């Protein structure tokens, strides 16, 4: 039924043409779902969802998305597989591929996801690692397109911790003609080697500065995320001290372009990386972002199965 397997571990796995085509496909799927005529190409298909970290949006948007496409989702925690300890990643990959047509995984190390993808005959989707959160950023690009009718020729500012979300934005700048600015401290820099590899043959630009105002100035989109990600909550106090001046508040918003979109992947810590006034304010699109996880990930899944 499906032509070939593709893994989706990073936005940089795609070409620009893939990204733009899947963006349009996601919008069609959203319209079809809202009209109650979502196609069911996953009828009789199984997706394994492996989660080693908590999740509201990602887990539910994949579960609901698989179901709306006609398939079935199996939720698996580390209690069942204890990846790499109870048995090797290679064996888990080969066993799961006998039951599931698609594997979605949220875990710590990107290298574990790469190893799983190497051994699995079923396609593997990265649902967040410490390194990247590609599904999030693709669906966020969809939200930007819906609001601004373009996803290029714009300044996108990311303020705060140079984490997985920041790095997936850097991967997006490889494919899209965006002017990406990351405002962060040297201690929370997303990684110079990563930046270099994303800038190789990049279509967009990436500027990393410790000046939050320079990052925010004239931005069409301003984005932030928690200052301490899952798996590194031990750094919460240190990051809170370091990142104080990168908080998205009304003072910083004054420097952005008129109508600047406010984005956050959620969950948020109101009062820390963003004030309640800004995340719940008129420019915020955070719940549209959450909704679009459902639609964007459907086209990611179908692309992985060679069906989009
Ligand atoms: N944004 C996001 O990935 O949320 P969850 O951690 O709830 O899945
Ligand atoms: N950077 C955050 C994103 C959560 C969706 C984390 O990894 O915890």
């Amino acid at each position: 039924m499906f032509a070939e397997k593709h893994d989706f571990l990073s936005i940089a796995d795609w070409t620009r043409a893939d990204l733009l085509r899947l963006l349009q496909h996601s919008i069609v799927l959203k319209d079809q779902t809202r009209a109650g005529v979502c196609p069911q190409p996953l009828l009789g298909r199984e997706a394994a969802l492996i989660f080693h970290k908590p999740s509201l949006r990602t887990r539910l948007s994949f579960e609901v998305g698989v179901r709306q496409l006609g398939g079935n989702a199996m939720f698996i925690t580390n209690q069942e597989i204890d990846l790499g300890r109870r048995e090797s990643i290679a064996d888990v990959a080969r066993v799961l591929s006998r039951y599931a047509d698609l594997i979605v995984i949220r875990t710590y190390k990107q290298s574990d996801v790469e190893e799983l993808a190497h051994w699995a005959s079923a396609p593997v989707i990265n649902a967040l690692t410490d390194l990247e959160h590609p599904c999030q950023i693709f669906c966020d690009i969809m939200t930007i397109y819906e609001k601004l009718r373009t996803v290029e020729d714009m300044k996108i500012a990311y303020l705060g911790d140079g984490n997985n979300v920041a790095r997936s934005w850097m991967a997006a700048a490889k494919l899209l003609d965006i002017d990406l600015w990351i405002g962060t401290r040297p201690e929370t820099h997303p990684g110079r080697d990563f930046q270099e590899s994303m800038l190789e043959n990049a279509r967009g630009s990436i500027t990393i500065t410790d000046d939050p105002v320079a990052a925010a100035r004239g931005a069409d989109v301003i984005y932030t995320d928690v200052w301490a990600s899952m798996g590194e909550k031990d750094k919460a106090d240190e990051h809170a001290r370091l990142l104080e001046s990168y908080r998205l508040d009304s003072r910083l918003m004054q420097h952005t372009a008129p109508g600047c979109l406010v984005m956050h992947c959620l969950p948020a810590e109101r009062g820390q990386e963003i004030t309640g006034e800004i995340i719940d304010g008129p420019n915020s699109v955070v719940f549209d972002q959450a909704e679009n996880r459902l639609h964007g990930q459907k086209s990611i899944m179908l692309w992985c199965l060679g069906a989009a």
Side-chain angles (χ1 to χ4, degrees):
M1 175 188 178
F2 297 121
E4 54 187 312
K5 143 180 158 119
H6 299 286
D7 302 308
F8 181 62
L9 310 190
S10 165
I11 288 198
D13 291 347
W14 282 344
T15 63
R16 168 188 161 77
D18 287 330
L19 191 154
L20 295 177
R21 187 170 51 80
L22 293 172
L23 173 62
Q24 295 306 326
H25 186 232
S26 304
I27 290 164
V28 170
L29 286 168
K30 182 171 179 175
D31 288 344
Q32 289 174 327
T33 305
R34 286 185 162 181
V37 290
C38 185
Q40 301 222 303
L42 296 189
L43 209 60
R45 302 278 157 170
E46 297 286 338
L49 311 183
I50 306 172
F51 278 72
H52 294 157
K53 292 175 177 174
S55 175
L56 169 63
R57 282 145 289 270
T58 309
R59 175 183 172 177
L60 294 191
S61 55
F62 270 109
E63 281 199 13
V64 173
V66 167
R67 219 173 292 145
Q68 289 181 345
L69 291 171
N72 184 56
M74 301 175 276
F75 181 66
I76 307 161
T77 67
N78 216 25
Q79 203 156 5
E80 286 76 50
I81 53 178
D82 197 7
L83 196 69
R85 278 183 294 268
R86 181 166 183 263
E87 63 190 301
S88 71
I89 293 176
D91 285 358
V92 169
R94 288 176 287 187
V95 170
L96 272 183
S97 299
R98 301 291 176 109
Y99 303 136
D101 302 279
L102 186 68
I103 302 171
V104 175
I105 178 164
R106 165 171 288 195
T107 191
Y108 296 86
K109 290 198 216 152
Q110 183 84 3
S111 57
D112 285 355
V113 177
E114 285 164 359
E115 192 178 344
L116 189 78
H118 174 79
W119 288 103
S121 55
V124 173
I125 296 177
N126 176 2
L128 181 148
T129 61
D130 293 344
L131 190 76
E132 277 212 49
H133 196 1
C135 295
Q136 177 73 51
I137 300 311
F138 172 60
C139 300
D140 292 340
I141 290 169
M142 179 183 173
T143 304
I144 293 173
Y145 182 78
E146 284 177 339
K147 302 291 174 192
L148 303 179
R149 304 318 300 170
T150 177
V151 289
E152 295 195 291
D153 299 320
M154 64 175 74
K155 178 171 178 179
I156 298 185
Y158 175 96
L159 275 291
D161 186 28
N163 61 14
N164 42 13
V165 168
R167 280 187 287 270
S168 286
W169 268 118
M170 292 161 79
K174 192 177 181 78
L175 304 187
L176 293 177
D177 191 0
I178 55 176
D179 187 18
L180 176 67
W181 284 64
I182 297 181
T184 194
R185 290 268 184 205
E187 296 89 333
T188 50
H189 191 287
R192 283 169 187 83
D193 291 349
F194 190 89
Q195 181 180 7
E196 241 166 66
S197 73
M198 291 306 132
L199 280 173
E200 216 172 282
N201 301 317
R203 199 151 179 125
S205 61
I206 303 171
T207 308
I208 304 190
T209 174
D210 62 0
D211 180 349
V213 172
R217 190 173 296 122
D220 302 292
V221 172
I222 197 157
Y223 202 115
T224 192
D225 183 19
V226 287
W227 286 345
S229 286
M230 294 179 277
E232 52 168 40
K233 292 295 180 195
D234 55 316
K235 295 190 185 149
D237 290 345
E238 185 199 344
H239 285 191
R241 189 173 42 76
L242 286 169
L243 295 171
E244 180 75 27
S245 57
Y246 300 82
R247 175 174 300 119
L248 226 58
D249 57 14
S250 54
R251 181 193 51 85
L252 210 51
M253 283 302 293
Q254 280 172 3
H255 300 282
T256 63
C260 174
L261 299 182
V262 171
M263 302 186 84
H264 192 307
C265 56
L266 302 178
E269 291 200 29
R270 283 173 172 73
Q272 194 165 63
E273 74 276 4
I274 190 164
T275 59
E277 178 194 15
I278 298 302
I279 196 169
D280 296 318
N283 294 10
S284 171
V285 295
V286 298
F287 300 110
D288 297 306
Q289 290 177 255
E291 178 184 352
N292 281 338
R293 300 295 303 282
L294 176 62
H295 308 293
Q297 285 162 192
K298 283 183 191 166
S299 56
I300 294 174
M301 289 191 277
L302 294 179
W303 176 80
C304 286
L305 291 162

